[in-house]
Amino acid sequence: MSQSPVEEALRQSEALFRLIVESAQEYAIFSADLRGRVTSWNVGAGRCFGYSEEEILGVPMSVIFTPEDVAEGRPEGEMRVALTTGRAQDMRWHVRKGGLRFWADGYLMPLRNDGGEAIGFVKIVRDRTAERKAEAEAHASHEQFRLMIESASDYVIFTTDLQNRITTWNTGAQRVLGYDEREAVGQDARIIFTPEDRAQGKPEEEIEVALIDGRAENERWHVRRDGSRFWGSGMMMLLKDDQGETTGFVKIFRDMTAQKIADAQRDQLLRVVETERGQLQEVFQNSPSFMVVLRGPDHV
């Protein structure tokens, strides 16, 4: 018995849909009846959950939920939400065959007949474990870096964006410069430069050197919140994102005022010693008695 054009078109449409579903191996796509029992299972679902189609057909889809979620009635709750709102979205731990857990996001949507009556569900799930792990590692790395910076209270460490606006501010910066984090973040980083250096374009020059060479070292006078000055020694380096694009700068330096004063005092003392030595040498060279002493008793 030949099929009508409508039936043939429907058959072709269903075949195309199955082909698309089976080709989407990165996604677990399966359907379930109104009681939540699996009625179809694509290759992606088999790869993701570990069950073959023969094993899973007729099994409640709650098998992919964790025992905790099953105990809390999440599979049934998800179906109720999908029927009420048109879809239920989730991001949670799921369970593979054998009990291994993985992190996934997914959607559950109702399947309806031509009359609009719900006849089942379709669920689409994607394994996001790798992304979640990467995010967790990045967060842990960021937190470790933050704690390391915060513990470096002897060093001024802060970051800026490409417009040289302060974006982070460690405890060392607060201790040395006098601004707390709320006061500093969002400010132009030129606030720590002396008026003379600002007038001469030293902050912009430092940025240009960092952009060209990757870092800019400097030793100069800086200004605290109360206007007092101190001698800082450090560097500015580039901040880059995962694609290698420059997103800002990090500035690290240390208050070296005490060392600067000690060096100045030492230099002054050396100059005094050199001066006095020169004067003594001149006196000795022009003194007859000094010559007698040098020549000894045989020549008296």
Side-chain angles (χ1 to χ4, degrees):
M1 182 177 177
S2 63
Q3 293 180 318
S4 68
V6 174
E7 290 174 331
E8 177 61 21
L10 181 61
R11 186 191 67 78
Q12 291 180 0
S13 177
E14 290 175 347
L16 179 61
F17 177 73
R18 171 168 283 276
L19 179 62
I20 293 172
V21 168
E22 289 302 322
S23 300
Q25 296 187 22
E26 294 297 316
Y27 292 86
I29 305 176
F30 62 92
S31 59
D33 61 23
L34 289 175
R35 289 188 291 177
R37 295 175 304 189
V38 177
T39 54
S40 71
W41 191 254
N42 81 328
V43 174
R47 183 186 62 79
C48 187
F49 291 104
Y51 296 97
S52 67
E53 189 175 26
E54 292 75 17
E55 289 177 302
I56 200 68
L57 290 182
V59 174
M61 67 176 181
S62 59
V63 71
I64 70 169
F65 286 76
T66 65
E68 310 91 85
D69 283 348
V70 173
E72 292 177 9
R74 290 193 180 275
E76 296 78 13
E78 194 172 85
M79 288 189 287
R80 286 194 298 271
V81 170
L83 289 172
T84 303
T85 65
R87 74 172 188 178
Q89 182 177 354
D90 69 344
M91 185 173 287
R92 60 165 57 97
W93 291 105
H94 290 70
V95 182
R96 303 188 208 277
K97 179 182 177 181
L100 184 66
R101 299 188 179 205
F102 67 100
W103 185 259
D105 62 9
Y107 297 89
L108 182 71
M109 294 167 287
L111 289 173
R112 300 184 183 277
N113 60 21
D114 293 340
E117 182 183 2
I119 57 174
F121 302 93
V122 60
K123 190 169 178 69
I124 304 172
V125 178
R126 190 172 189 185
D127 185 346
R128 297 289 190 181
T129 310
E131 291 94 327
R132 180 180 172 85
K133 181 180 179 182
E135 289 174 0
E137 289 175 349
H139 177 74
S141 177
H142 176 76
E143 183 65 12
Q144 185 178 20
F145 180 67
R146 186 189 68 80
L147 291 173
M148 181 181 68
I149 288 176
E150 286 302 317
S151 64
S153 59
D154 287 339
Y155 288 85
V156 173
I157 305 176
F158 64 89
T159 59
T160 68
D161 60 19
L162 291 175
Q163 286 71 47
N164 208 24
R165 291 188 300 259
I166 297 168
T167 52
T168 66
W169 190 257
N170 83 325
T171 54
Q174 179 174 331
R175 184 183 63 80
V176 173
L177 290 159
Y179 298 94
D180 64 33
E181 186 177 25
R182 290 173 299 176
E183 291 176 307
V185 171
Q187 291 263 27
D188 191 314
R190 292 184 300 172
I191 60 173
I192 73 168
F193 285 78
T194 65
E196 310 91 83
D197 281 350
R198 291 201 297 269
Q200 294 174 17
K202 295 295 184 181
E204 293 75 18
E205 181 181 307
E206 187 175 72
I207 290 173
E208 289 176 10
V209 172
L211 288 171
I212 294 171
D213 298 337
R215 60 188 284 173
E217 297 184 7
N218 66 83
E219 285 192 354
R220 59 167 54 95
W221 292 104
H222 291 77
V223 183
R224 296 187 177 91
R225 185 177 184 273
D226 62 6
S228 62
R229 299 189 178 202
F230 68 97
W231 186 259
S233 175
M235 68 184 70
M236 171 183 274
M237 296 175 290
L238 303 181
L239 286 175
K240 295 180 179 290
D241 60 19
D242 294 339
Q243 287 71 47
E245 295 293 325
T246 299
T247 59
F249 307 92
V250 58
K251 192 170 177 70
I252 305 172
F253 63 94
R254 195 174 186 183
D255 182 354
M256 300 296 288
T257 310
Q259 184 65 48
K260 177 75 171 173
I261 293 172
D263 289 345
Q265 291 173 341
R266 181 200 61 196
D267 293 342
Q268 183 180 9
L269 179 60
L270 287 174
R271 285 193 297 269
V272 170
V273 169
E274 286 293 326
T275 300
E276 291 182 351
R277 186 178 69 174
Q279 291 173 349
L280 286 172
Q281 184 174 352
E282 184 178 351
V283 169
F284 289 156
Q285 288 174 346
N286 296 329
S287 171
S289 60
F290 176 67
M291 298 298 293
V292 169
V293 172
L294 283 180
R295 293 172 68 180
D298 295 339
H299 300 282
V300 174

